[in-house]
DNA sequence: TTATAAAATCTAAACGTTTACATTTCGGGA
DNA sequence: TCCCGAAATGTAAACGTTTAGATTTTATAA
């Protein structure tokens, strides 16, 4: 960014005023064809490129939306980002993406940076729904939509998955097959999916007249290492569970790895259901039964809500809930 | 972005001039402690947030680097992005990410947008190394580093994988096991990895005294569907290959899926090596032999080069080449 | 106390646009 | 030909910063 040609250079080259140049750049009409031609030539000749920074400053819009996710290496997010990006490009909006690594501190910094750059809106899967930095977004009146993990603040839209329903169905499937001792690998309880998926587990257990057993509840962090630790923990129990329900994709992967390491046979010795579909699910034997959700749709809806919010100054707080579906494959055996 | 407090509001509140406020915001020193306190209080009271757009305009730096990748849903990229992002955050630089979907047209648009926004530098895996839009980057003197796919323009750095070596090793491993008819699933020949990996295949075949057979060469597009089409094509041949080499992760996944659909037994009936490690590789039976590379390292080196380029005004064109390694597992049988 | 240098602070211009408003040019009817 | 309204174009202010350079305040020494 050194001494690039400016609108003034173009104006001089074309022998007109900068106002006229601005008008043709922004296609506002009211410029004689002959003049427009002169200007277009001048633009070519000078190699002029509009300076979006200066423009943003004047019009107080950056045409940018910020996306905040907890972990870019979790394949769930690239899928929804991809959906958001495609829709955004259609509408000539651009995206800034940052990943918090599940840290509320980093999240705060990212929010601060987004605020400084004046993003027009934010789509966020928060690392911590109680993060006080989230309120900054409100204070600055930045249109915000939360996805996957609920944010309970006025004027924030939420597009969520019915986690309770999803994990309830998964558990019901397990329990209908006669299992009584079912281990759960939970996510962080301060996130919506972590908390709600546990809720679905409890609901199903209760409905089937089963007691909760602390030893069968493992609190993980949504990363694969805790899936593996959980399985090890369950394996060492004197009374091992006959089935395991894992609350997200990464922990499922860790868990399956550990199952193999321990030679604890998937299916025949221990049934398994995971939340979220994963690539390996259909590659392993037996194939993995999972709770599946529409990630692309999630991203699209989130974008539409945000777009509407930005351009209509809507201030209410909409909530849309998508229902996941149980993809029954082969990893749950009758007992 | 409506009527946020500006530096002027702070100045008024603190009873000083905007210059002094600016000095404390930017920690330039030379301000009495008492004044500084007054200003800090005023900032708190007004809820002032620095306007990065205005600042960028004045200092002609955006502290932003643009990242352009072909496909965010290919897990290779999130890994390198993650590395870049972490390093960038350390240095107080921010990233804009855009995905081209392997389209040169989209890539052009993205480059144009990045130019308008005045990114300080670009890290790119180009969809087409002959894309004329790449030269725009040079014309505008934007420091650029290419990763994974080479860009042959003066002053752009390249950090690459030794694809020829990687695929040569893979092929040598296959051929040493006695295979003579080896199918290859190629990537697009106008990308470095697509072209070079094919080169490694040819080199190995030649060295082992084998003729190339057009029927055993399938030209894919790096997406999983072409992996599957390739396998179908090989399967329908009267003389099927006894081994297959797939040139990237996604095509490998498609290929393995198709192998199963056709009941063409991996390992015993057809040996297989893929370029790039993938999650499923260790989950399937037999486990998959792959060419592996250090993605995190790739991202870090790219960032370091870019950072150096931005702040030292270096104009030469460095090239660093990382050597991949063959991860021998069980999918290649002796014939 | 005064003179002086150093430190602190202020003033105002500049960054590259957009846009309200002013001015000029143009075309057509009298 | 002249006049008038419409169309085209121009002028200048504003957006929120940073930063030279000017000015004021402070501290120090004589």
């Amino acid at each position: 960014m050194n001494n690039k040609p400016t609108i003034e250079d173009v104006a001089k080259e074309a022998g007109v005023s900068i106002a006229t140049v601005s008008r043709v750049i922004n296609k506002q009409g009211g410029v004689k064809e002959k003049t427009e031609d002169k200007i277009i030539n001048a633009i070519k000749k000078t190699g002029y490129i509009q300076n979006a920074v200066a423009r943003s400053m004047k019009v107080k819009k950056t045409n940018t939306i910020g996306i905040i996710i907890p972990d870019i290496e979790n394949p769930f997010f690239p899928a929804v980002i991809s959906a958001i990006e495609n829709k955004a490009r259609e509408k000539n909006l651009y995206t800034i993406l940052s990943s918090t690594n599940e840290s509320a501190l980093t999240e705060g910094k990212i929010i601060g940076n987004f605020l400084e750059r004046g993003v027009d809106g934010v789509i966020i899967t928060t690392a911590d729904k109680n993060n006080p930095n989230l309120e900054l977004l409100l204070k600055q009146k930045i249109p915000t939509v939360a996805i996957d993990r609920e944010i309970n603040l006025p004027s924030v839209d939420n597009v969520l998955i019915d986690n309770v329903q999803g994990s309830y169905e998964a558990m019901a499937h397990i329990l209908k097959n006669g299992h009584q001792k079912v281990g759960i690998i939970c996510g962080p309880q301060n996130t919506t999916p972590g908390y709600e998926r546990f809720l679905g587990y409890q609901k199903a257990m209760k409905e089937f007249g089963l007691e909760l057993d602390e030893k069968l509840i493992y609190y993980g962090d949504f990363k694969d290492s805790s899936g593996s630790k959980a399985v090890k923990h369950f394996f060492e129990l004197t009374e091992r569970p006959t089935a395991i329900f894992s609350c997200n994709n990464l922990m499922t992967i860790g868990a399956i790895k550990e199952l193999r390491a321990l030679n604890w046979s998937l299916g025949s010795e221990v049934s398994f259901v995971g939340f979220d579909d994963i690539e390996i699910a259909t590659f392993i034997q037996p194939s993995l039964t999972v709770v599946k959700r529409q990630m692309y749709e999630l991203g699209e809806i989130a974008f539409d809500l945000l777009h509407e919010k930005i351009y209509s100054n809507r201030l209410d707080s909409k909530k849309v809930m998508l229902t996941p579906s149980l993809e029954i494959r082969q990893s749950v055996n009758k007992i």
Side-chain angles (χ1 to χ4, degrees), chain A:
Chain A
M1 228 176 163
N2 28 10
N3 41 9
K4 300 181 183 159
T6 74
I7 200 172
E8 207 174 332
D9 299 318
V10 176
K12 221 169 276 169
E13 177 70 33
V16 298
S17 78
I18 59 170
T20 312
V21 176
S22 176
R23 258 171 297 229
V24 348
I25 291 168
N26 297 298
K27 305 196 169 70
Q28 291 171 317
V31 176
K32 260 206 291 190
E33 210 178 310
K34 220 172 74 183
T35 324
E36 183 162 346
D37 286 348
K38 269 194 302 184
I39 292 175
I40 288 175
N41 283 332
I43 289 177
K44 281 215 184 94
K45 186 161 174 195
T46 53
Y48 170 75
I49 288 183
Q50 188 177 39
N51 181 326
V53 173
R55 168 165 224 281
S56 287
M57 163 140 177
K58 190 82 228 305
V59 303
K60 298 190 176 181
K61 280 260 167 214
T62 54
N63 288 329
T64 304
I65 64 179
I67 304 179
I68 303 178
I69 57 168
D71 179 9
I72 196 177
E73 296 193 61
N74 179 335
F76 171 76
F77 293 107
V80 347
I81 292 166
S82 181
I84 296 172
E85 256 209 357
N86 287 339
K87 281 223 133 189
R89 204 187 331 276
E90 270 173 33
K91 295 262 203 285
N92 261 308
L93 285 176
Y94 284 79
T95 51
I96 318 185
L97 173 69
S98 276
S99 174
T100 61
N101 292 317
E102 299 284 5
S103 148
L105 192 71
T106 307
E107 186 171 289
K109 280 190 200 158
I110 293 172
I111 291 176
N113 180 262
F114 281 10
L115 252 25
E116 285 182 2
R117 324 186 132 223
V119 294
D120 294 343
V122 168
I123 295 180
I124 179 172
T125 299
T126 181
D128 175 7
K129 64 161 109 177
N130 302 314
N131 192 343
N133 290 301
L134 291 172
E135 287 173 36
L136 269 181
L137 251 18
L138 289 205
K139 234 175 258 163
Q140 302 291 322
K141 300 210 177 68
I142 306 293
T144 302
V145 0
I147 58 181
D148 193 38
R149 304 186 185 174
E150 186 166 21
I151 293 180
N152 258 319
L153 291 173
S155 93
V156 173
D157 288 346
N158 282 277
V159 14
L160 305 168
I161 293 296
D162 193 336
N163 291 296
V164 178
Q165 175 64 15
S167 77
Y168 172 82
E169 268 185 53
M171 284 299 297
H173 175 63
I174 292 174
L175 298 176
K176 272 185 205 150
N177 276 279
H179 295 270
Q180 308 232 351
K181 291 194 304 263
V182 185
I184 178 172
I185 311 176
C186 294
Q189 297 299 299
N190 62 342
T191 65
T192 314
Y195 175 65
E196 291 184 350
R197 288 172 199 174
F198 186 32
L199 234 49
Y201 170 89
Q202 292 170 293
K203 183 179 164 203
M205 291 292 278
K206 193 167 175 190
E207 220 159 90
F208 280 73
L210 296 167
E211 292 289 307
L212 290 194
D213 177 353
E214 269 305 325
K215 291 196 290 298
L216 294 180
I217 300 169
Y218 186 93
Y219 294 94
D221 64 359
F222 278 158
K223 306 244 170 145
D224 61 353
S225 61
S226 56
S228 130
K229 280 181 212 149
V231 165
K232 201 176 293 170
H233 161 76
F234 292 145
F235 189 74
E236 285 165 357
L237 257 32
T238 44
E239 291 199 46
R240 292 180 193 157
T242 62
I244 296 175
F245 172 56
S246 158
C247 284
N248 91 331
N249 50 2
L250 262 30
M251 297 195 299
T252 301
I253 289 172
I256 301 288
K257 273 189 192 152
E258 192 63 30
L259 244 34
R260 297 191 162 203
L262 295 170
N263 246 316
W264 193 8
S265 167
L266 178 64
S268 57
E269 289 183 325
V270 59
S271 291
F272 201 107
V273 177
F275 205 109
D276 266 341
D277 207 355
I278 47 181
E279 196 78 63
I280 64 164
T282 56
F283 282 92
I284 59 178
Q285 288 297 345
S287 63
L288 208 61
T289 294
V290 297
V291 179
K292 205 174 174 178
R293 46 185 174 155
Q294 303 304 321
M295 303 175 290
Y296 215 79
E297 205 176 351
L298 198 69
E300 290 191 327
I301 294 176
F303 177 82
D304 286 342
L305 283 175
L306 185 66
H307 189 260
E308 184 202 341
K309 232 179 155 84
I310 293 175
Y311 293 98
S312 75
N313 284 86
R314 183 164 59 74
L315 285 174
D316 60 343
S317 162
K318 280 195 190 173
K319 182 189 275 196
V320 358
M321 179 84 87
L322 300 179
T323 308
S325 60
L326 186 65
E327 181 87 9
I328 297 180
R329 297 200 265 245
Q330 310 161 333
S331 59
V332 176
N333 280 24
K334 271 219 154 44
I335 210 162

